[in-house]
Amino acid sequence: MSTLAHTMMTAARSADSGLAGSGELDRYPYSEALAGDRAAARPWGGSDSELGRASRRGAASRGRGLHGQLVQQLGQMIVSGDLGADRPLVPEEIGQRFEVSRTVVRESLRVLEAKGLVSARPNVGTRVRPVSDWNLLDPDIIEWRAFGPQRDGQRRELAELRWTIEPLAARLAAGHGREDLQQRLGDMVEIMGHAMGQGDAITFSRADAEFHALLIQAAGNRMLEHLSGIVSAALHVSGGPVTGCDRPGEASLAHHARIVDALASGDSAAAESAMRQLLVVHPDVERVVPAPREH
């Protein structure tokens, strides 16, 4: 195993020492955030209003403090439709029901406004904006939609978007000859192989996500690199809270390895083809795009 792979797994052991024993492949604390997000939040008091009912289904914080909790809670409520378009959001009411300060409410609403979920105007106040105004490429909104009523449509759209982004990234990466990134991509494949052998879906998913982020970085296109957050979010929500872009399997691992080999040989066409083959392993993609032909 390479030095980088060994270092990564050592770091993972330090972060999550309770999951890996002596001689075992280190396991990454990858799915804990989503598990926490679906924990029941403290219910609001007061009347059983629409806002109050929605809050009782809200998510817990991902370790981001009161501000993060409120952003997560309100964001999920808006995306799920519990707080419909043009619904007024009164800061005083939010502060009282969530038992947070005006500062926390104000900063949280600013974050949601930056995501396009709400708008604040003088003499009108803060209101929920329609879906057409949302930043649908925002990683948080991607996740909230993927676990809400629009989950099927969201995952289909993500699959279609990945089909557009990642084969191009693989083709471009093969032409740049970044040996440092190619080595790290190989390390991820090695870690995925160890994880698959141990039935460790969490480690597989973590290495898988890093593989795809590194590949987009290797493409050498800064605008394309800005889309890496979309791919990461797609990997995070595809197939549930534990698995990544697909269920760990020999076919998936083989396609990852083929991509690395194609990059090492500078074969752009082979890299693109291997990525398309990898993407159709995932059932969400298989429903929307045809499998590439083998030549």
Side-chain angles (χ1 to χ4, degrees), residues 19 23 27 36 41 48 58 66 81 109 119 144 161 167 174 196 216 219 241-242 250 262 265 268:
L19 289 179
R27 301 177 182 180
D48 194 22
L66 291 176
L109 291 177
S119 62
W144 295 336
L161 195 58
M196 187 177 67
I216 292 177
V242 176
E250 293 288 349
S265 62
S268 298

Side-chain angles (χ1 to χ4, degrees), residues 256-290:
H256 282 88
R258 283 180 56 205
I259 293 170
V260 173
D261 291 342
L263 297 184
S265 62
D267 191 335
S268 298
E272 180 179 1
S273 175
M275 176 56 75
R276 292 187 185 278
Q277 291 284 355
L278 171 61
L279 289 178
V280 296
V281 170
H282 193 283
D284 287 341
V285 182
E286 192 173 17
R287 287 193 291 267
V288 296
V289 295

Side-chain angles (χ1 to χ4, degrees), residues 138-242:
D138 181 278
D140 281 335
I141 294 179
I142 288 174
E143 182 178 314
W144 295 336
R145 292 184 72 207
F147 290 100
Q150 312 94 345
R151 63 177 65 86
D152 291 340
Q154 173 69 106
R155 294 182 183 184
R156 176 186 55 78
E157 290 171 1
L158 286 172
E160 293 169 344
L161 195 58
R162 290 187 64 198
W163 181 260
T164 302
I165 294 171
E166 296 194 78
L168 172 61
R171 170 176 283 276
L172 294 175
H176 282 276
R178 290 287 305 273
E179 293 184 4
D180 56 335
L181 292 179
Q182 290 172 13
Q183 177 61 55
R184 292 171 65 188
L185 287 165
D187 290 335
M188 294 306 107
V189 173
E190 187 174 355
I191 292 172
M192 290 162 67
H194 280 281
M196 187 177 67
Q198 296 188 3
D200 182 357
I202 295 176
T203 299
F204 187 98
S205 295
R206 179 67 180 269
D208 183 25
E210 185 151 354
F211 179 97
H212 290 270
L214 286 169
L215 183 66
I216 292 177
Q217 182 182 347
N221 184 312
R222 292 185 180 180
M223 295 185 70
L224 193 62
E225 192 170 341
H226 275 282
L227 300 177
S228 63
I230 301 169
V231 175
S232 296
L235 290 167
H236 193 54
V237 304
S238 297
V242 176

Side-chain angles (χ1 to χ4, degrees), residues 7-187:
T7 301
M8 287 182 61
M9 291 194 292
T10 301
R13 179 179 290 113
S14 299
D16 198 14
S17 59
L19 289 179
S22 176
E24 293 181 333
L25 181 69
D26 304 84
R27 301 177 182 180
Y28 298 83
Y30 183 73
S31 65
E32 295 172 357
L34 269 177
D37 285 349
R38 285 193 290 275
R42 178 179 59 196
W44 289 356
S47 62
D48 194 22
S49 64
E50 179 185 5
L51 203 57
R53 289 196 305 272
S55 74
R56 284 194 277 273
R57 301 203 313 270
S61 169
R62 282 186 263 181
R64 291 184 264 179
L66 291 176
H67 167 262
Q69 290 184 46
L70 191 55
V71 169
Q72 185 82 356
Q73 187 92 328
L74 292 176
Q76 287 184 326
M77 291 159 62
I78 292 170
V79 168
S80 69
D82 290 314
L83 297 178
D86 209 37
R87 169 67 187 260
L89 299 178
V90 181
E92 291 76 11
E93 179 187 358
I94 295 173
Q96 291 174 0
R97 292 188 179 276
F98 281 101
E99 300 180 7
V100 294
S101 68
R102 288 185 178 181
T103 300
V104 171
V105 174
R106 183 168 59 250
E107 292 302 317
S108 298
L109 291 177
R110 285 178 180 172
V111 171
L112 295 175
E113 185 173 17
K115 296 177 184 293
L117 294 178
V118 304
S119 62
R121 288 179 291 178
N123 303 321
V124 175
T126 301
R127 291 181 176 272
V128 176
R129 299 172 72 174
V131 178
S132 58
D133 292 340
W134 299 355
N135 177 9
L136 297 179
L137 300 183
D138 181 278
D140 281 335
I141 294 179
I142 288 174
E143 182 178 314
W144 295 336
R145 292 184 72 207
F147 290 100
Q150 312 94 345
R151 63 177 65 86
D152 291 340
Q154 173 69 106
R155 294 182 183 184
R156 176 186 55 78
E157 290 171 1
L158 286 172
E160 293 169 344
L161 195 58
R162 290 187 64 198
W163 181 260
T164 302
I165 294 171
E166 296 194 78
L168 172 61
R171 170 176 283 276
L172 294 175
H176 282 276
R178 290 287 305 273
E179 293 184 4
D180 56 335
L181 292 179
Q182 290 172 13
Q183 177 61 55
R184 292 171 65 188
L185 287 165
D187 290 335

